[in-house]
Amino acid sequence: MSPSSPLPPPPPAAPPAQARPILPPAGEPVGNAMPSIDWRRVLTGNWLGAGLTAVVALGAAAVVSALVAFLSADHFDLKSAIGLTALLTEASFGADVVSGAGAVTTSVGQYPLLATFVALGAAALVFRRVIRAYPDMPSALGDAVRASLILAVLLTLGAVVTNIVEPDLRGYTSDDDSLASAGSLTDYLASSGAKAGLGDFSGKSQTSVAGAIFLGFLLLLMTLVLVAVARRATLDGVWLKVHEWLAAPVAGLAAIAVGLCVAGLVYIAAVLVGHDDARDFTNIVGMIAALPALGMRVVGLGLGAPWGASTDYKKEHEEAMSHIGGFADDHGGLFWISIPVALALAGLAVWTVVRQSADRRAVLRNVLVYLGLLVVAVPLLVRVSNFHLSYGRRKDVATFFLGLGGAQTTALFILASAVIGAVVLLATGGIDVDALRARAGTLQRNPASGPHPGSSVPPPPPPSSQAPPAPPSAPTEPPGTRPRE
């Protein structure tokens, strides 16, 4: 082909390929369709282990409730004892006991707290064995939800049965006749409540279905989640971090639960020494049933929180509250032992956190996390330790309260724990005193001594004794040039 010959025309362009639609993989949502839920995966789990945990919790509460019901009656009646066993079992997980005659009803909100602690402790031990070989945390948390659901179903069935049967309780009313000598009903509640554990039960009674459904579920779920977080086996990733932050503080909360039972024994001993009329066997059984709640009284009074009774009726409020000084005057000087007992319990919990800290460099962090958990734990303990009662018909209802001031108890316990924690940390080396002193030194600055050592502003130049150089003179014309005209 010569250079002058024309070039052949280019080949025709191929037609553009038609784009194929990209189909999503099978099973994935298309457009705005809702994602599908694999219910089989949600429902699949260790239902046998979860059911065993729930049954153990309910059975432990029932055993303690039966002992209280069969031993605390002034005049024993088998049907009443069986009925009270069912009612106390439900009340152990938060359900109110409701009784009434005609249109007037009485609703008692009180935990037989020893049964509650025993039930949750037994469930924690069983659940710990159930999940010990689980490969991951989601499996353990799933079984915690399943166990709580099963317990809620069992409690709901029990509440329905008690509402149908309505056991008629007899022989559980005290013969306290001090109301006539009391200045008011509120004073009577404070005086008689200090010498007793559980309240009186009489007449046809039933339990709150709503309380049985929700409160039992929440109590058991909270306990089992803490158990799952506290175990270290097979944890990795974010769950290992959660364990490192919460395991030691949770051990401190467990120490409080055990310590409250010991403090409750101190309360019972002080009451028996201070009051002859409190030495009745049935009354002692009632106080043992509320043992952790009595221990919470010791802690609150020992730290300076008020305890007593209050009534509210038709916008009128009356209360009879006292601190440790007045309480000891009314119920015996032995109650002054509440102060060292409360401080000892706060110290025991902090010391447990320090001892359970695997990494010694994280001791301070663990103590701070524990103090943060107390913001939730202490109000909860105060709430389940106090006694609440409502009496009346429809809107004409009077409410009664017997127990500790929640805000004061929480603030004082956290403050005492923080102070004792600082002492324990200093004694055990949990706080580097030299580093703390150096950090504090960086915060000290005297304006007369110049800028802060960490400031980025350069210091001024030192004064010079030499005279400053003369300013440069005006430029001169080089030699041999003509001046400008």
Side-chain angles (χ1 to χ4, degrees), residues 279-312:
R279 299 171 187 174
D280 183 72
F281 177 75
T282 58
N283 184 62
I284 295 175
V285 173
M287 287 193 290
I288 293 176
L291 192 64
L294 302 183
M296 199 66 209
R297 291 186 196 179
V298 170
V299 172
L301 287 169
L303 294 176
W307 183 92
S310 67
T311 60
D312 291 276

Side-chain angles (χ1 to χ4, degrees), residues 320-338:
M321 308 293 287
S322 60
H323 292 81
I324 181 61
F327 193 89
D329 291 340
D330 295 336
H331 305 289
L334 190 56
F335 275 101
W336 284 105
I337 200 175
S338 299

